[in-house]
Amino acid sequence: MQTPCLRSGRVQIAWPDRPLLETAMKAVVFDAIGSPQDVLYLGDVPMPRIGDGEVLLRMVSASINPGDFLFIQNLYPEPKKPHFPRQIAGNHGAGIVEAVGANVALKPGTLVAFSYYNSWAEYAAVPAAWLIPLPAGYPVERAGQMVNPITAWDLLADSRVQPGQWLAVTAGYSSVSTMVMQFAQRRGINVIALVRRSRDRLDLKGLGATAILDLSGLKVGIREAIMDMTDGAGLNGIIDNVGGPVSGELIRTLAMGGQMVINGGMSTERFELHNFDVLLSGLEIRANIYRYFFSPPVEADRPVLREIVDIFGQPDFHVPVGGIHPLAEFELAVTNSLDRADLGKQIFGM
């Protein structure tokens, strides 16, 4: 009996015994720790093989995220460490199920999203437990960045800001921040978006920001500006993607019982606090780690994941996409992601 095959460009896959008639695929890889712009290159790597409980995905999209750069720079803790040679970059993406190992219920042809490893490639082998099934026809540029709405949803919940209260979000043009704004607007929460410099490309107020604090044109102190914007109420929560001295100023603007949630550290500088900056206002500073950083989704997560997937897929939920690139354009995609967050999310489309 002839073995059924799937063909995709230069790669041929066969099952059920899964011999690989051709063994190479294209991927964005690196062989050393360093700046993404210095160490990444496009190369040929072996096609992944799947075992029991695993799925072979034909990648359709993969997002470029700050966390991907941390992985390339070896800044993540175990087990999120690169392995050489030819470590494939990328930790998030979406693909179509091509083949499954034993004990996997997913059917070939299913569109899924995941946060795992090796997403900047033509194919990926992923344990089925890490996959989030998506509706047929779900926009692939959104499917490939499902990490961002999940993060934004959790950040807003962790901030504990209530309807009518004030939330500050740093790195206002980042994908996660624009999603926080839209989730917050749906809940009646006021958002101040902090940006290093205002740009015309993205209308943050149209995305849900109540006010924009442009740090480049600030003529008064941050605390004074925020107290003016909030009519003296101050902030009830902060979602900080940047760090640095601005974070210290924001903390001193929190109202009694307010909270800062730290999600990133784009600044190389530190912020300083006195104990009384925290004690006398009953403040809390906590970290947010992506819920699927160390472990896969569990059954109890499915209802909220379905809700996030549904909202994120709606046409009125704005998802700025700055470019959809083939893998061969990785240099442009990475540079835009590092230097021009206002353009929107950079996506690999395979």
Side-chain angles (χ1 to χ4, degrees):
M1 182 177 67
Q2 185 176 6
T3 303
C5 295
L6 258 174
R7 294 181 181 271
S8 177
R10 58 197 293 275
V11 177
Q12 188 178 50
I13 309 161
W15 67 82
D17 295 328
R18 301 180 190 86
L20 297 180
L21 304 184
E22 297 182 31
T23 58
M25 67 174 183
K26 293 292 185 183
V28 178
V29 299
F30 58 107
D31 294 323
I33 302 303
S35 165
Q37 292 167 309
D38 295 334
V39 300
L40 293 175
Y41 66 95
L42 185 68
D44 290 317
V45 299
M47 278 286 297
R49 295 177 178 271
I50 59 171
D52 293 353
E54 293 184 327
V55 172
L56 179 68
L57 300 178
R58 174 174 59 82
M59 296 299 298
V60 295
S61 66
S63 54
I64 302 177
N65 304 283
D68 296 316
F69 301 144
L70 297 179
F71 178 69
I72 294 165
Q73 296 172 82
N74 197 32
L75 295 177
Y76 275 154
E78 293 288 356
K80 291 280 189 177
K81 295 290 187 181
H83 297 280
F84 302 130
R86 289 182 297 176
Q87 169 66 58
I88 300 174
N91 296 277
H92 312 281
I96 294 173
V97 175
E98 294 274 293
V100 300
N103 304 312
V104 175
L106 286 168
K107 301 298 184 184
T110 304
L111 176 65
V112 296
F114 69 92
S115 294
Y116 192 62
Y117 298 99
N118 304 341
S119 64
W120 296 0
E122 293 178 318
Y123 287 83
V126 182
W130 290 85
L131 302 177
I132 301 173
L134 301 174
Y138 201 81
V140 294
E141 72 279 3
R142 301 191 181 200
Q145 56 171 315
M146 197 56 61
V147 55
N148 292 314
I150 294 171
T151 297
W153 184 279
D154 288 345
L155 285 169
L156 188 59
D158 286 350
S159 77
R160 300 205 294 258
V161 178
Q162 300 301 307
Q165 294 184 331
W166 287 89
L167 171 70
V169 181
T170 64
Y173 287 121
S174 73
S175 293
V176 166
S177 293
T178 61
M179 293 175 195
V180 167
M181 294 172 205
Q182 293 177 81
F183 287 138
Q185 186 180 51
R186 283 167 162 76
R187 302 181 192 182
I189 294 171
N190 299 308
V191 177
I192 299 175
L194 278 76
V195 300
R196 287 180 295 175
R197 184 181 302 275
S198 292
R199 298 182 183 271
D200 296 332
R201 184 177 176 87
L202 279 183
D203 176 13
L204 296 184
K205 288 189 175 180
L207 295 178
T210 309
I212 300 169
L213 184 57
D214 182 348
L215 298 176
S216 70
L218 200 58
K219 295 181 172 58
V220 297
I222 289 175
R223 187 178 192 282
E224 183 178 349
I226 288 178
M227 295 304 288
D228 181 61
M229 289 177 173
T230 62
D231 292 328
L235 299 173
N236 305 98
I238 302 163
I239 295 173
D240 186 18
N241 304 292
V242 180
V246 170
S247 298
E249 293 299 317
L250 288 173
I251 288 171
R252 287 183 278 273
T253 309
L254 281 166
M256 178 66 69
Q259 181 169 232
M260 170 181 272
V261 184
I262 296 176
N263 181 54
M266 296 164 63
S267 173
T268 58
E269 299 181 84
R270 302 175 184 270
F271 66 85
E272 295 183 357
L273 294 174
H274 190 279
N275 279 12
F276 287 155
D277 292 330
V278 177
L279 286 171
L280 298 184
S281 297
L283 308 183
E284 183 176 342
I285 302 172
R286 61 181 300 182
N288 175 277
I289 299 175
Y290 177 55
R291 65 163 72 186
Y292 305 127
F293 186 85
F294 290 114
S295 57
V298 297
E299 190 59 34
D301 295 344
R302 299 300 173 184
V304 71
L305 287 176
R306 283 193 292 269
E307 185 175 3
I308 294 170
V309 166
D310 178 63
I311 295 173
F312 190 54
Q314 293 174 8
D316 65 344
F317 195 97
H318 188 57
V319 183
V321 174
I324 300 177
H325 307 271
L327 292 174
E329 290 183 0
F330 74 91
E331 292 174 305
L332 174 62
V334 166
T335 297
N336 284 348
S337 184
L338 286 167
D339 299 336
R340 291 297 307 273
D342 62 295
L343 294 176
K345 178 61 65 178
Q346 303 295 313
I347 303 285
F348 287 121
M350 278 69 86

